[in-house]
């Protein structure tokens, strides 16, 4: 590889670091972007200027940076390349009306779930509904729902790669505990989260399958723990029914009960 190619590769890596940082923080100054990408301010200014020329970055009125329309177009193209993003929202809006809580649709991204659809419920106080937020597999109902939809070998292979970070004292931090929880969820039909990622919230989730029977996404309902936990036996079946309806729209035919 030539020195010129090395330089281009370095610039690409730094540009992607800047875009990734803004995806998480939503807004930052050039100095903050330089620190996040571990580069000098002069290098950050050059990369930011180039990204803004191609509409990947947009300057706010106070001189800070946000992702621009070109980045939004790429994000939407990625979302709409997944069929579940086309068929799920109509059914998820009904689920919001039924539960009055925040409803989300997540797909696997690396070893996390990323939300590609979220809608906040009408409750005066509800959990955050930021689109694009990422959540760990082991500590959330949406993540455990995805795990529950995998076959035994796929799930075991994936679990071996996970770092079971303790987000709260309630987080399941051993593979045995997580597998036991998933086994209960598979019997029940939906997963539950009791303050495992956020002590103030509780959630339930269910997997979504495509026409081949493979899990492609998961959905969840989340709200304040004091309000949702007593209602899980009502909310869980609603989440399961919605996930099943989305799966059917993707061509999935459930296996007959034994």
């Amino acid at each position: 590889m030539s020195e010129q190619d090395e330089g281009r590769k370095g610039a690409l890596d730094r540009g992607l670091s800047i875009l990734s940082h803004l995806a998480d923080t939503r807004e930052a100054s050039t100095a903050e972007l330089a620190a996040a990408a571990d580069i000098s301010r002069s290098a950050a200014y050059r990369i930011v200027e180039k990204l803004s020329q191609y509409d990947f970055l947009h300057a706010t009125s106070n001189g800070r940076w946000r992702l621009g329309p070109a980045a939004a177009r790429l994000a939407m193209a990625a979302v709409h390349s997944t069929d579940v993003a086309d068929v799920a929202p109509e059914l998820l809006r009904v689920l919001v009306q039924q539960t009055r809580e925040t409803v989300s649709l997540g797909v696997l991204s690396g070893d996390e779930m990323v939300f590609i659809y979220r809608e906040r419920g009408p409750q005066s106080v509800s959990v955050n509904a930021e689109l694009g937020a990422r959540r760990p597999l082991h500590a959330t109902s949406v993540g455990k729902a995805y795990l529950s939809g995998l076959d035994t070998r796929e799930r075991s292979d994936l679990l071996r790669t996970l770092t079971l970070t303790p987000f709260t004292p309630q987080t399941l931090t051993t593979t045995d505990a997580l597998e036991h929880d998933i086994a209960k969820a598979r019997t029940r039909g939906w997963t539950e989260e009791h303050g495992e990622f956020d002590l103030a919230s509780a959630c339930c989730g269910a997997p979504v399958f495509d026409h081949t029977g493979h899990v492609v996404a998961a959905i969840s309902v989340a709200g304040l723990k004091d309000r949702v936990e007593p209602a899980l036996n009502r909310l869980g079946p609603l989440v399961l029914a919605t996930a099943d309806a989305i799966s059917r729209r993707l061509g999935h035919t459930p296996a007959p009960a034994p």
Side-chain angles (χ1 to χ4, degrees):
M1 182 180 291
S2 68
E3 291 184 5
Q4 185 178 25
D5 288 337
E6 285 282 357
R8 287 172 179 168
K9 179 178 183 295
L12 176 60
D13 290 343
R14 294 191 291 268
L16 291 174
S17 294
I18 286 173
L19 293 175
S20 179
H21 181 71
L22 282 172
D24 291 333
T25 62
R26 305 190 67 177
E27 185 177 298
S29 67
T30 303
E32 290 167 347
L33 294 175
D38 194 23
I39 57 177
S40 67
R41 290 196 184 188
S42 60
Y45 277 111
R46 290 194 298 271
I47 295 171
V48 163
E49 182 180 4
K50 183 63 68 175
L51 289 172
S52 66
Q53 287 177 4
Y54 288 92
D55 288 335
F56 282 97
L57 295 184
H58 169 72
T60 65
S61 58
N62 59 357
R64 294 170 69 81
W65 295 99
R66 290 183 176 179
L67 293 176
R73 287 194 297 271
L74 282 180
M76 292 307 298
V79 168
H80 288 297
S81 68
T82 305
D83 288 341
V84 68
D86 296 325
V87 304
E90 178 185 356
L91 295 166
L92 293 176
R93 285 190 286 269
V94 174
L95 186 60
V96 172
Q97 296 171 2
Q98 292 173 324
T99 65
R100 298 179 59 80
E101 302 290 355
T102 297
V103 169
S104 305
L105 169 69
V107 297
L108 186 68
S109 175
D111 60 357
E112 297 176 302
M113 298 297 286
V114 59
F115 291 125
I116 63 172
Y117 177 92
R118 302 200 83 182
E119 184 168 340
R120 191 184 294 248
Q123 300 280 8
S124 58
V125 180
S126 58
V127 301
N128 178 46
E130 184 179 352
L131 189 67
R134 304 175 75 88
R135 294 291 183 266
L137 288 168
H138 69 289
T140 59
S141 62
V142 69
K144 290 189 289 184
Y146 186 91
L147 289 170
S148 74
L150 296 170
D151 65 36
T152 302
R153 174 172 291 183
E154 288 178 314
R155 185 165 55 253
S156 296
D157 289 346
L158 184 52
L159 287 177
R160 279 197 294 270
T161 70
L162 297 183
T163 300
L164 306 183
T165 303
F167 294 96
T168 77
Q170 306 304 320
T171 307
L172 303 178
T173 56
T174 69
T175 301
D176 286 346
L178 185 56
E179 288 182 331
H180 180 67
D181 191 64
I182 290 171
K184 290 195 300 183
R186 286 170 63 88
T187 299
R188 183 173 54 228
W190 66 87
T191 57
E192 294 182 357
E193 175 194 336
H194 300 267
E196 296 155 44
F197 182 72
D198 173 9
L199 280 174
S201 67
C203 322
C204 55
V208 174
F209 301 93
D210 68 8
H211 67 284
T212 69
H214 286 91
V215 59
V216 293
I219 66 171
S220 68
V221 166
L224 296 183
K225 189 176 182 182
D226 291 346
R227 190 172 62 224
V228 168
E229 273 196 333
L232 282 172
N233 285 336
R234 177 181 66 85
L235 298 176
L238 292 173
V239 172
L240 176 60
T242 302
D244 287 346
I246 296 170
S247 298
R248 287 194 297 272
R249 289 196 177 187
L250 294 175
H252 176 60
T253 302

